[in-house]
Amino acid sequence: MPRTVLVVDDERDTNDILASLVRPRGFEPVQVFSGAQALAAVSQRHPDLILLDLMLPDIDGFEVCDRLKRDRITNLIPIIMVTALQDAHHRAAGVRVGANGYLVKPFTPQQLYQSMDEALAWHDEHRQRGTTGEINFDIRSELTYLAEANDLLADLFAHTPLTERQIKDLKQAVMEMGGNAIEWGHRKNADLVLRITYRIDPTSVTLIIQDQGPGFNPQDLPHAASDEDPIRHLEIRNELGLREGGFGIMLAKGLVDDFRYNERGNEVTLVKHFDPQHRPRS
Ligand SMILES: Nc1ncnc2c1ncn2[C@@H]1O[C@H](COP(=O)(O)OP(=O)(O)OP(=O)(O)O)[C@@H](O)[C@H]1O
Ligand SMILES: [Mg+2]
């Protein structure tokens, strides 16, 4: 069976061009012209990849992406957003459920193929490690949006073997680390977008919180708490004239099973393992 690409674009010409470009790559295009048709075609055809225009006559592309990514049955289908430059930033909403790639019109066939390759590689990687779901949340840097995204996450956790206690811990860790990303990484600049990746593997849930800030060195925190000497930390913060704090990292570490920063320090990974007795049987 040939692999299929769902092409969603209300402009006939663009739709046809996209369709003709994917054929030589061995894909059968399925062409639709509205958001509603797109959702129907996804459940009927379960495509291998979706090329999704943002400006659709009925349900816009963001909304279509949102629905597909929040649905456990469809969230691993790679979606590439195809946007005109003007609407690339136009969405006012504070939380959006991210696509796997963005392609800005006009684009070259090479750019299209590269986005497709990346999106398909993302999908293959997840298949290989048995991931049953991954969702990206792009969040404008405000605590209310962070809280909103965290509530959405909690809905997703409810479908995992995580216990209530574990869910509570994970939510708290996300608030702390998301708070740091906003407060320290983005210096509260609400225009910067913070990305939370949520992934379910056979034995664990992973959350990755990435900001666009300069990062920091977690090994070298003059004004942050360490497990050894939290009191000393309070004194240093006092000397520096900072509000009390510095417990975020210490706290978050204790709330999850696995905790690590990337090299630059602008991305933190939190992992929670399912209790063995609650693991889904494979
Ligand atoms: N994403 C980040 N980008 C840059 N610096 C960061 C980031 N996250 C943490 N930091 C640095 O690490 C320090 C410790 O973070 P931590 O959350 O432990 O304490 P805090 O945010 O200062 O206070 P609180 O206890 O209220 O969270 C911060 O003060 C900041 O200097
Ligand atoms: Mg903090």
Side-chain angles (χ1 to χ4, degrees):
M1 254 195 358
R3 296 188 295 174
T4 53
V5 173
L6 182 66
V7 181
V8 190
D9 201 315
D10 59 321
E11 280 173 51
R12 180 99 231 176
D13 290 348
T14 319
N15 198 315
D16 285 344
I17 290 171
L18 284 167
S20 66
L21 284 170
V22 304
R23 269 193 206 97
R25 303 287 284 198
F27 289 94
E28 183 197 322
V30 175
Q31 296 178 258
V32 297
F33 304 90
S34 71
Q37 285 172 4
L39 293 171
V42 169
S43 49
Q44 276 163 25
R45 306 288 302 260
H46 211 79
D48 296 284
L49 180 75
I50 303 174
L51 298 174
L52 180 61
D53 178 31
L54 279 184
M55 307 272 264
L56 294 167
D58 53 349
I59 314 169
D60 76 43
F62 284 119
E63 174 74 27
V64 172
C65 182
D66 219 272
R67 288 200 208 171
L68 294 175
K69 288 298 180 185
R70 279 187 212 188
D71 185 334
R72 279 179 304 142
I73 296 173
T74 53
N75 72 22
L76 283 177
I77 304 176
I79 298 181
I80 298 172
M81 295 264 200
V82 184
T83 73
L85 199 51
Q86 313 83 281
D87 52 46
H89 308 280
H90 95 303
R91 204 197 188 180
V95 181
R96 76 188 191 208
V97 182
N100 301 92
Y102 294 86
L103 197 61
V104 177
K105 292 179 196 167
F107 51 82
T108 64
Q110 277 325 308
Q111 287 169 325
L112 170 68
Y113 295 150
Q114 193 185 334
S115 300
M116 287 175 63
D117 289 344
E118 284 166 8
L120 292 165
W122 168 84
H123 183 258
D124 290 347
E125 186 198 319
H126 284 310
R127 274 193 73 139
Q128 271 163 27
R129 68 158 168 239
T131 303
T132 53
E134 184 182 282
I135 303 184
N136 297 299
F137 292 89
D138 292 331
I139 300 162
R140 283 186 45 213
S141 298
E142 278 180 33
L143 287 176
T144 46
Y145 295 138
L146 175 64
E148 189 184 323
N150 213 0
D151 287 343
L152 292 174
L153 283 170
D155 291 343
L156 299 168
F157 297 156
H159 301 288
T160 69
L162 288 177
T163 63
E164 260 174 60
R165 172 83 241 173
Q166 288 179 310
I167 291 175
K168 217 173 142 217
D169 289 352
L170 203 46
K171 280 189 75 177
Q172 196 179 347
V174 169
M175 279 316 275
E176 286 294 340
M177 295 302 96
N180 278 359
I182 292 171
E183 184 176 21
W184 302 105
H186 291 168
R187 301 273 159 189
K188 298 190 181 158
N189 176 353
D191 293 334
L192 294 177
V193 172
L194 131 102
R195 168 160 280 215
I196 298 184
T197 300
Y198 161 78
R199 185 184 301 146
I200 316 168
D201 291 309
T203 59
S204 58
V205 166
T206 300
L207 282 152
I208 303 168
I209 299 166
Q210 187 190 55
D211 64 59
Q212 301 176 51
F216 73 112
N217 180 359
Q219 254 69 57
D220 180 25
L221 287 173
H223 57 281
S226 79
D227 322 21
E228 289 99 61
D229 196 355
I231 302 299
R232 171 83 187 116
H233 159 74
L234 285 184
E235 290 166 5
I236 293 173
R237 258 180 107 96
N238 222 346
E239 283 161 27
L240 291 171
L242 295 168
R243 70 185 166 74
E244 278 184 32
F247 291 101
I249 293 174
M250 197 173 78
L251 189 74
K253 259 188 203 162
L255 290 169
V256 296
D257 299 318
D258 200 352
F259 181 98
R260 57 180 182 270
Y261 280 95
N262 67 348
E263 207 169 317
R264 181 168 140 194
N266 70 326
E267 182 185 290
V268 61
T269 299
L270 312 169
V271 181
K272 203 85 179 159
H273 297 297
F274 303 138
D275 287 345
Q277 68 268 32
H278 293 128
R279 268 182 211 165
R281 258 169 280 176
S282 48

